[in-house]
Structures are given as C-alpha cells and as structure tokens.
Amino acid sequence: ASSYPETNADWSVLIAPLRQIVIDPFGRNASMPRSLLLLNGAIAFVLLIACANIANLSLARNLHRRRELAVRAALGAGRWRLVRQLLTESLTLSAIGAALGVVVAHWAISFVLSHGPALPRNGEISVDIRVVSFAAVLVALTTVAIGILPALRGACTRAVDLKEGAQGALGRRGGRRLRSGLVAAQVAVALLLLIGAGLLVESPRQMQRVDPGFNLDRLLVLRTQAPSPPYSSDEQLTELHRRLAGVIGAATVNHVPGGGMVISPLASARLDTALSVTLRMASPDYIETMDIPILEGRGLTEEDVSPWNGALLVNKRLADLLGRPLGERVAVYRQRPGPDFGEVLDGIVVGVVGDVLGSLAQSVAPYTVYAPDAQNPWQSATLVARTDAAVENPASLVRAAVQDVDPNLPVAGLWTMRSQLHRSLAQQRFAVQLMGAFAGAALFLAALGIYGVLAYLVRQRAREISLRIALGARQTDVVRLVMQGAMIILGVGALSGLVAAVALTRVMSSLLFGVSATDPTTFFAVTCVLILAGIVASYLPAKRAATLDPMQVLREE
C-alpha cells in the first residue's frame, strides 16, 4: 500500500501461520491447537493407566512366585540375575502386545479415515516405519520403567521365603498398600478423562441448540456448477440462477452458512482501518427465503440488480460497529478469478438484517455484507430452496425442477440446511469421539485394575475368609468385608480425580461451548458411572470369596 498508494491504498492483508490455517482455523493456538494437545494428554493418561495396571499385575505375579525366586537364589542366582530374568519376561510379553497393537492400529486408522471427517494431510496418516519405531521405543522404555520396581521387589528374596511362600509375602502391608495405591491412581486418572469427555460431549449438543439466525425448517441447499460454454459470462450465469430460483421458489448465494466464507476487507469513513468481513453475494429474494429478519431499512430488490445501483446490506453486528450506517457509503473488495483478482464494490448501505452464524461452532456472527448476486464473479453458486410442508419428498422435487430448467446443468449436491450446519461440527464431533474412546478405555482399565487387585486380595485372604465362614460368617458378611476395601480404593481415587479435574479442566475452557469447565451435572454423572463400574468390578471377587469352601481351602493350606 505504501509503494503503490494509487491502487493499493485501501487493501487489507490478513497474515496467519499456515499451520494455524490448516490445523486450527479458529486460531486458538498457532503452534498446536488445544484439541490436539487435549487428545495427546488423553493418550498419555491411558498409557499411564495401562502401565499402572501392568505394574500391579507384575507385583502380584512376582510375589506369588516368591518361593520359586527364593529357590533360584538359594541355588546361586544373584539379585541382578533375577532382575534380568523378570525384565526379560516382561519385555517378551510387551513385544507380543505391541505387535498386536500395531495390527489393531492399522485397522483402526483405516476405519477412522474412511468413516471420520476430512483431516489435514490424511493421505500421509498410516502405520509406517516411523510409527512402528516410535511404538517399539515407547514399549521398551515403559516396560523397563514399570517393570524395574516389581523386578527389584521380586528379586529381594530371603531363605525364609522358602517356608512362607506366597502367603507370607502377600500378607505384608507394604505390597498391599502399593497395589491399592496404584489402583486408586488409575481410578483418579480414569475419572479425569471421563469428566473431560463428558464436558466435550455436552458442547456439540449445546451447539445444535443455538439459533443460527434464520429458519431451518424445510430449507434445502443445492450446489451447482454451471457448464462453460454456454454460461461463460457473469450476466449469463446470473440469468441462469435467476431462472432456477424463479422455477423452484428459491434464492442463490455464493456460499451458505456452514459452507465456508469469502473474507473481504471493508473500508468506511467511520473506521480508522479496513475491517475483515464476510461477503455474501445473493439474489434479491435470499433474505426472504432464509427468513432472516430485516431490522432497519429495506432488503434487496430486482431494481438493485441490473444495473447495480450500489445497494448493500449489512448485518446487525456490523451496523452496531459502524453506528446506524443507513445511507452511508462503504467499499468492499470483491474477489474473482483471473489475473486482476477482483475489484472494489463501492456501495451504499440500504438495510440492516439480523446476524447469521457462519457455523454452529461460532459464538458470535461474523461481520457480514450482502451484495446482489449479479456481482458474483464465480462460475458456481448455491441454491437455497424452502419447500411447502405438504411436499413429501422435497429433495426430488428440487432436483426435478433443476433438470426441467436445464438438463445439462451439473448438480454437485443436494442436502438440507440443517445437515449443512451439523456438518460444520464434524471436527468437534470427531474430537469428542476420540476423547470418548480414550475415556472408555481408561474406565475399562481402571475397572480391570480394581477387579485384579480384589481377586488377588481374596486369594491372599482365602484362609482368613474360610475361617470366618467356618465360624459362622454369612455370605453377606463376607461380601461386605471385601467390598469395604474396594470402596476405600474407589473413594480415594474418585476424590483425587475430582480435585485434579477441577484444576485441569479449566484448560479446556476454550474448547467448550455452552457448558462450564466445572459443570456440576457432568461431574456428578461421571462420578456415579465410575463408582458403579467399580462396584460391578469389585462385586465379582467379593461374590467368589463368599462361596469359598472352608474345608477345601484349609486342607490345601
């Protein structure tokens, strides 16, 4: 603009990192959008829960093998020899699990890419050598990290362990507390993920209840691409769209809500600098067809089209910024294909209309200018048609009307405006689905951890429980005894998870819509789900403990 003031003085340049435009079009984070950071965090939490589960199982397995390890030590095996043996066994199992994981990942990625929304550079998403190498390194590191403590504890054998065996070792409070602490940590992390997923699930539901600024009932969207020739000029294309609109009782526009936007700079004497606005070039009956309210002035008419008399409409948000702009002159840049890129539309504001959201994911409507469709330079347009309630199959009616006007006119797509807006939430729903999958995996692993610890606890306390039954304890008393331990673990884990969720879910505030980061309903409902899953997981070993045969257990001892 400074080098060429005669032609470029009113130009406005919008600059943004390419990563932000491709990955995070809402511009929340130029380096890494918070939705990806949130999903990465969910993956890390699920990995931590799985590691805690494996560490718990390794501790229980090594304690159960206490007598075997004591025999090996008595025969001359050193401590580090035993550690290497236990780590080798863990690495072997991890390698088998990792191989199965790679196969499942290959299938899962294919499923996601075929059923999920379009992702940036999705053609490069695959299980290649880089992914497999990363998984192999991660498996090796986590296996050593979570296996070293159980291996060290398992290698600390004493001669008395030959006599005590598993029962004496398992009776120590230190090992029991460690395993219970690991399960409580799993419950806390699972609750954190479930709360995050619950908050994200509520956001799209709130978005679908938002008033978009127009009437969605019986409104269809039809995308056309005019062939060339014979429709090779702006005048011919505009006339064709007008003929179609007249036949099917609809209107034309360069882009509809939820279907992208044309961003143009606007200059006005009331503004110090150019303002970025959404430019919609529509037929005169577009405002009426969409049922957008006219708040001040008038709408566009046929007299405004050919020739164009400079009539423009602005939405309420832009009018509030300009300050009652009726009769004011504004200049908006019109984009067009070709080497000249476009021209400036110098017009007069003749009316103010209601705000229309660009998508359901937006909390406020963009600044919008409406110009007659005769100023649309593109060889494509979108038709919007509102059908009568008595029409049973409106899509077929609209498609037949288009073919009656011109059988050679390609129809790129036909759908309802409601589905058009809902498609704009595809990325949000996809993130919610992934987060829900991770939260479900975390819940399953946490329940599995509770079940494993209690099952081992029942096995450890089999002699005590059998004596209680022999002395007259009822089945309900035994179930209550085992469930009390489970409720303590669940309570500690749930309380810790709630405290962590209150602190960490605030990071999600920018990703939420219409729901608070500390929504009490979500917190309560998710906590109840987790506790219910924990009760189910703990009831099975408790029921098994209540059905022990005292004579058989004591005879084995």
Side-chain angles (χ1 to χ4, degrees):
S2 60
S3 300
Y4 305 95
E6 294 183 0
T7 57
N8 299 351
D10 295 329
W11 281 35
S12 175
V13 179
L14 306 178
I15 301 176
L18 181 61
R19 177 190 298 270
Q20 173 180 318
I21 295 174
V22 174
I23 298 180
D24 188 26
F26 298 103
R28 297 188 181 96
N29 192 317
S31 59
M32 178 67 75
R34 289 193 177 183
S35 57
L36 289 184
L37 290 175
L38 185 66
L39 291 175
N40 287 336
I43 294 170
F45 281 143
V46 172
L47 179 62
L48 286 176
I49 295 177
C51 289
N53 243 342
I54 296 173
N56 225 336
L57 294 174
S58 298
L59 281 171
R61 183 189 63 175
N62 293 344
L63 288 173
H64 184 66
R65 297 172 60 188
R66 192 82 172 180
R67 182 177 297 172
E68 171 202 339
L69 297 175
V71 171
R72 292 180 180 273
L75 294 177
R79 181 181 182 185
W80 291 109
R81 177 74 175 272
L82 296 177
V83 170
R84 288 197 304 271
Q85 176 191 341
L86 296 175
L87 286 179
T88 301
E89 294 174 357
S90 298
L91 284 170
T92 302
L93 292 175
S94 297
I96 297 174
L100 294 175
V102 169
V103 174
V104 174
H106 178 76
W107 172 83
I109 289 176
S110 300
F111 179 82
V112 169
L113 293 179
S114 60
H115 292 82
L119 300 174
R121 302 172 67 180
N122 58 359
E124 302 177 25
I125 302 175
S126 63
V127 181
D128 54 18
I129 187 63
R130 296 171 298 174
V131 176
V132 174
S133 300
F134 171 77
V137 172
L138 186 62
V139 166
L141 291 177
T142 53
T143 301
V144 173
I146 66 176
I148 191 68
L149 178 59
L152 289 174
R153 291 180 65 91
C156 294
T157 58
R158 302 172 302 172
V160 70
D161 291 328
L162 289 170
K163 182 178 180 180
E164 290 182 352
Q167 291 293 341
L170 289 172
R172 296 171 186 166
R173 293 183 178 179
R176 191 183 307 171
R177 288 177 178 175
L178 177 59
R179 294 192 301 277
S180 298
L182 288 173
V183 174
Q186 294 178 54
V187 172
V189 176
L191 181 60
L192 178 61
L193 285 179
L194 287 169
I195 289 176
L199 293 174
L200 289 178
V201 166
E202 186 62 24
S203 292
R205 292 176 56 190
Q206 294 294 333
M207 291 178 184
Q208 294 178 8
R209 300 170 185 167
V210 170
D211 180 12
F214 58 93
N215 186 5
L216 288 171
D217 294 338
R218 306 184 310 280
L219 193 61
L220 298 179
V221 179
L222 184 137
R223 182 71 176 173
T224 64
Q225 181 70 41
S228 179
Y231 309 105
S232 57
S233 67
D234 292 354
E235 291 76 14
Q236 289 173 314
L237 183 64
T238 301
E239 180 60 26
L240 171 64
H241 290 163
R242 186 166 290 106
R243 287 167 56 200
L244 288 176
V247 169
I248 63 176
T252 63
V253 66
N254 59 335
H255 59 87
V256 294
M261 295 180 293
V262 176
I263 305 298
S264 302
L266 176 140
S268 170
R270 302 192 180 197
L271 299 175
D272 296 332
T273 59
L275 178 69
S276 296
V277 301
T278 295
L279 177 59
R280 283 202 170 98
M281 290 170 281
S283 59
D285 47 359
Y286 174 76
I287 299 296
E288 181 181 359
T289 301
M290 295 286 288
D291 199 9
I292 302 174
I294 299 176
L295 306 179
E296 295 183 56
R298 63 176 178 86
L300 298 176
T301 64
E302 293 291 341
E303 288 74 17
D304 299 323
V305 177
S306 183
W308 180 51
N309 57 12
L312 297 174
L313 304 179
V314 298
N315 68 332
K316 182 179 183 301
R317 185 174 178 229
L318 180 56
D320 292 341
L321 180 66
L322 297 175
R324 301 186 64 83
L326 286 182
E328 294 292 329
R329 184 170 294 277
V330 296
V332 60
Y333 175 78
R334 182 184 77 164
Q335 295 182 353
R336 63 178 295 130
D340 57 342
F341 293 107
E343 60 188 29
V344 173
L345 298 178
D346 192 0
I348 299 175
V349 178
V350 299
V352 178
V353 300
D355 291 334
V356 173
L357 297 178
S359 72
L360 296 180
Q362 294 179 339
S363 56
V364 295
Y367 298 117
T368 307
V369 175
Y370 297 88
D373 61 349
Q375 307 304 311
N376 181 9
W378 298 96
Q379 290 292 310
S380 63
T382 300
L383 296 158
V384 291
R386 191 178 299 278
T387 61
D388 188 81
V391 178
E392 296 182 359
N393 195 345
S396 299
L397 175 67
V398 173
R399 190 180 294 274
V402 173
Q403 294 300 311
D404 288 342
V405 172
D406 188 348
N408 298 319
L409 182 65
V411 178
L414 179 62
W415 51 85
T416 66
M417 180 66 76
R418 194 178 301 275
S419 63
Q420 168 81 18
L421 284 179
H422 288 177
R423 272 203 300 270
S424 65
L425 301 177
Q427 294 285 0
Q428 286 82 355
R429 285 198 296 266
F430 181 61
V432 168
Q433 291 167 359
L434 287 181
M435 189 69 180
F438 294 138
L443 178 62
F444 173 76
L445 290 173
L448 192 63
I450 294 173
Y451 173 81
V453 165
L454 289 183
Y456 219 92
L457 180 65
V458 168
R459 183 175 180 179
Q460 167 195 339
R461 301 175 63 181
R463 180 191 298 174
E464 171 198 343
I465 294 173
S466 298
L467 288 175
R468 290 177 180 271
I469 295 175
L471 294 175
R474 296 173 299 179
Q475 287 190 352
T476 55
D477 297 328
V478 176
V479 171
R480 187 184 304 112
L481 175 67
V482 178
M483 293 290 290
Q484 283 177 353
M487 291 301 100
I488 293 175
I489 297 175
L490 275 173
V492 173
L495 182 60
S496 303
L498 288 174
V499 173
V502 171
L504 294 180
T505 51
R506 299 182 185 276
V507 181
M508 301 170 50
S509 298
S510 61
L511 299 176
L512 302 178
F513 185 95
V515 58
S516 170
T518 56
D519 179 50
T521 303
T522 302
F523 273 59
F524 176 76
V526 168
T527 303
C528 290
V529 170
L530 180 68
I531 292 178
L532 180 62
I535 291 175
V536 172
S538 57
Y539 178 77
L540 297 177
K543 186 67 175 178
R544 184 181 303 169
T547 57
L548 287 175
D549 184 357
M551 296 301 298
Q552 182 179 353
V553 173
L554 295 177
R555 187 182 300 113
E556 291 176 356
E557 293 296 333

